[in-house]
């Protein structure tokens, strides 16, 4: 395996050779990409043949594009590597990050997208689009589901542009080599899913041991949520470091042999996180988190073995937790009835995106394209202030969009919506920054897409609490990914009350049990307890597991918060079925204020 650090002399020579390149992309791009492959130790493109289907890694790969009138026009992909990428080359001559440069790069991206959609279905879509300004930069866009979705900046809008000087960075070298040789390994959800499952498994073991010790499931759930957010805060730099180690794991190490001090020590830390201030044990100042999570810092005393389980979970890299599945796995880890399914049943991210993209993100991206056209029109009229106003107006609109999931569970759909809106916001802010000559962007002024825009209703109080935390972890994780640190105004967490613990269909004043003539409660099967059939061995309802039949006082239609878009995965519940469709069907729609 080649080292990811390139020889300095070869890298410097390559950068110097191409820094003064002039001329058209046609005269230079093949030589530039061939020499880039040589520098990176990558295979060279093959000679192209007459049989297009055999041209899996070639320059000038031919594609036939159907036009609306039924005719076909021929196009040529500058560089194609089947299963990896489509590359479109330009030699702009424009100042990097200027509006003219952005415009040229966008045109190249759109051209590549047309070629991609013209590829034969049998070949499948590659996961990457690459756009290069010959001799100066490359831009990466990814769509790992390869199902027709939008290719978005990879790994995010702050780091998808690679300049030649960045070839001195081993991370960039590794990324480009994987792009050529193993693009699937760059899918962040793969690594994140492994990390997330491992953490959920440890939390399940700890929850089980705490419940076995007599602590209620609800108390265990809230204790572990505070603990896991503390682990996340530590790994993204929101808690101070001590000799290169995080404050929380250092505290756990110190308390391992002194379990009697565990509860008061952790309670002191959480009280400080709630209010902010100096922590004497850590000899450091703690930021103010607030948000309600640490308002009542109830700590369950742990023995040495339980502290070890918490240390194991804390030793994972919480920067790479995947919020899109974390909520579901955490909910199951905290539910004794669901632990046997841990990691086996959740709505995969690709399925969530299959709803969120066409329902929410694609319409917003269409509006973004309209805003870009309007801005370009103003620029052609030499009115840059008007163009900037057009882009800022779209950004302000984006930061006011309200998205509602009326059966949000542990927040997976809302998190995916948040992430994709943050991706879009990053593209908007990049263009605003270019037009604004690099001055501070609006995010620093407090105008940004954040969790308050993502609303949820959930009947399970534990799931509702998890959903709120999942949104905050996803939001903070995104900020860390963009800036490599989190520098937000205090309090870090805000209690937006955006996730409501309520029934989505039914409001009522109270609930009574239905009684028989003798005044005894009428019962029914509890809906989730099973036993093995003595005849077939298959699981069948355990009729001995009973629960009271309920009657609601003054039942009426539940009120929903105002929203612009409604998304979600309506479940079958023991006493309700969504009118929008059969339980479990993915559904979503843009909505007027409801």
């Amino acid at each position: 395996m080649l080292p990811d650090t390139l020889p300095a002399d070869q890298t410097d020579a390559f950068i110097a050779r191409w820094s003064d390149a002039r001329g058209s992309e046609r005269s230079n791009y093949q030589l530039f990409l061939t020499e880039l492959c040589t520098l990176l130790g990558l295979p060279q493109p093959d000679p192209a043949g007459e049989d297009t289907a055999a041209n899996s890694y070639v320059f000038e790969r031919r594609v036939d594009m159907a036009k609306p009138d039924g005719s076909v026009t021929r196009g040529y992909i500058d560089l194609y590597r089947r299963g990896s990428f489509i590359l479109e080359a330009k030699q702009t001559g424009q100042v990097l990050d200027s509006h003219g440069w952005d415009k040229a790069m966008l045109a190249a991206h759109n051209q590549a997208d047309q070629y991609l959609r013209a590829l034969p279905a049998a070949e499948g879509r590659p996961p990457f689009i690459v756009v290069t300004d010959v001799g100066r930069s490359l831009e990466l866009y990814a769509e790992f589901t390869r199902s027709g979705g939008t290719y978005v900046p990879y790994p995010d809008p702050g780091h998808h542009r690679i300049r030649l000087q960045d070839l001195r960075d081993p991370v960039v070298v590794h990324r480009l080599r994987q792009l050529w040789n193993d693009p699937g390994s760059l899918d962040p959800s793969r690594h994140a899913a492994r990390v997330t499952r491992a953490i959920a498994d440890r939390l399940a073991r700890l929850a089980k041991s705490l419940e076995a010790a007599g602590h209620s499931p609800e108390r265990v759930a809230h204790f572990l949520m505070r603990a896991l957010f503390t682990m996340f805060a530590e790994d993204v730099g929101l808690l101070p470091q001590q000799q290169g180690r995080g404050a929380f794991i250092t505290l756990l190490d110190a308390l391992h042999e002194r379990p009697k001090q565990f509860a008061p020590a952790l309670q002191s830390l959480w009280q400080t996180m709630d209010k902010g201030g100096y922590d004497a044990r850590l000899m450091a100042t703690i930021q103010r988190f607030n948000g309600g999570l640490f308002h009542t810092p109830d700590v369950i005393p742990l023995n040495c073995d339980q502290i070890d389980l918490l240390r194991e979970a804390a030793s994972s890299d919480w920067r790479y937790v995947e919020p899109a599945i974390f909520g579901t796995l955490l909910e199951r880890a905290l539910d004794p009835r669901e632990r046997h399914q841990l990691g086996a049943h959740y709505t995969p991210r690709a399925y969530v995106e299959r709803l969120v993209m066409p329902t929410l993100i694609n319409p917003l991206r269409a509006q973004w394209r309209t805003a870009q056209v309007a801005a370009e029109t103003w620029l052609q009229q030499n009115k840059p202030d008007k163009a900037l106003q057009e882009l800022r107006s779209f950004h302000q609109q984006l930061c006011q969009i309200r998205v509602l999931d009326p059966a949000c569970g542990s927040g997976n759909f809302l998190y995916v919506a948040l992430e994709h809106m943050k991706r879009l916001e990053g593209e908007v802010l990049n263009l605003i920054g270019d037009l604004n000559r690099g001055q501070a962007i609006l995010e620093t002024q407090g105008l940004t897409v954040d969790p308050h825009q993502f609303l949820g209703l959930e009947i399970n109080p534990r799931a509702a609490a998890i959903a709120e935390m999942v949104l905050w972890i996803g939001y903070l994780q995104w900020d860390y990914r963009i800036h490599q640190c989190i520098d937000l105004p205090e309090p870090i967490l805000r209690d937006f009350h955006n996730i409501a613990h309520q029934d989505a269909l039914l409001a009522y004043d109270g609930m009574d049990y239905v009684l028989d003539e003798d005044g005894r409660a009428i019962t029914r099967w509890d809906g989730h307890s099973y036993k093995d059939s003595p005849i077939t061995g298959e699981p069948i309802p355990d009729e001995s597991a009973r629960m009271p039949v309920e009657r609601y006082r003054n039942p009426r239609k539940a009120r929903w918060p105002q929203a612009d878009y409604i998304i979600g995965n309506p479940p079958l519940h023991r006493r309700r079925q969504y009118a929008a469709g059969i339980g479990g069907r993915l559904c979503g729609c843009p909505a007027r204020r409801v």
Side-chain angles (χ1 to χ4, degrees), residues 10 134 242:
Q10 296 179 26
V134 174
Q242 292 186 334

Side-chain angles (χ1 to χ4, degrees), residues 143 165 171 244 412 502:
E143 203 284 287
Q165 292 78 3
V171 173
N412 295 357
Q502 71 168 72

Side-chain angles (χ1 to χ4, degrees), residues 149-416:
T150 301
Y151 284 70
V152 297
Y154 178 88
D156 53 64
H159 302 92
H160 74 296
R161 296 172 176 173
I162 299 172
R163 293 160 178 78
L164 289 200
Q165 292 78 3
D166 296 331
L167 293 173
R168 299 186 177 100
D169 184 347
V171 173
V172 170
V173 172
H174 178 77
R175 184 176 302 156
L176 290 175
R177 284 174 171 166
Q178 295 303 98
L179 171 70
W180 252 259
N181 296 324
D182 186 15
S185 67
L186 295 176
D187 183 353
S189 66
R190 289 190 178 185
H191 174 61
R194 288 193 295 271
V195 172
T196 305
R197 287 190 181 94
I199 289 173
D201 178 67
R202 292 185 177 99
L203 292 175
R205 288 158 53 198
L206 180 55
K208 184 177 180 179
S209 73
L210 292 176
E211 289 165 12
H215 301 290
S216 72
E218 291 304 314
R219 187 186 183 198
V220 169
H222 285 91
F223 166 72
L224 289 182
M225 280 191 288
R226 281 187 285 271
L228 66 89
F229 186 87
T230 306
M231 299 174 199
F232 170 78
E234 174 178 75
D235 284 356
V236 296
L238 289 171
L239 288 177
Q241 299 279 315
Q242 292 186 334
Q243 298 180 341
R245 289 172 58 80
F248 184 57
I249 201 165
T250 300
L251 186 64
L252 293 177
D253 287 341
L255 297 171
H256 172 62
E257 299 298 336
R258 293 178 291 170
K260 289 185 178 180
Q261 297 184 27
F262 172 82
L266 189 54
Q267 185 176 54
S268 175
L269 172 62
W270 285 349
Q271 286 173 336
T272 307
M273 290 174 70
D274 180 51
K275 305 291 185 184
Y278 186 77
D279 186 280
R281 178 181 288 272
L282 297 177
M283 294 186 292
T285 299
I286 306 295
Q287 296 186 75
R288 181 186 174 206
F289 286 81
N290 200 351
L293 184 61
F294 299 103
H295 186 64
T296 307
D298 177 34
V299 179
I300 298 178
L302 303 186
N303 59 35
C304 293
D305 291 339
Q306 291 165 337
I307 293 175
D308 277 343
L309 285 173
L310 203 58
R311 288 170 70 201
E312 287 179 21
S315 65
S316 299
D317 193 339
W318 283 78
R319 294 173 299 171
Y320 299 107
V321 163
E322 171 53 72
I325 63 173
F326 177 65
T328 299
L329 295 186
L330 175 59
E331 187 179 355
R332 293 217 165 104
L334 299 178
D335 189 338
R337 297 187 307 245
E338 299 283 2
R339 286 189 189 127
H340 66 286
Q341 296 182 355
L342 191 61
H345 297 88
Y346 58 88
T347 306
R349 182 189 178 100
Y351 290 2
V352 176
E353 288 180 333
R354 196 172 296 174
L355 175 131
V356 170
M357 297 305 289
T359 301
L360 172 65
I361 302 303
N362 291 351
L364 291 177
R365 284 191 170 276
Q367 296 172 34
W368 170 228
R369 287 191 292 271
T370 300
Q372 289 175 289
V373 170
E376 179 60 28
T377 301
W378 286 119
L379 287 171
Q380 291 175 359
Q381 298 175 23
N382 197 28
K383 296 180 178 179
D385 291 344
K386 293 284 189 180
L388 195 58
Q389 182 180 347
E390 201 76 45
L391 300 180
R392 284 176 166 167
S393 176
F394 176 80
H395 181 240
Q396 186 173 18
Q397 172 195 341
L398 189 66
C399 295
Q400 294 173 347
I401 293 292
R402 297 292 187 272
V403 181
L404 170 66
D405 184 345
C408 70
S410 47
N412 295 357
F413 281 77
L414 292 174
Y415 162 71
V416 172

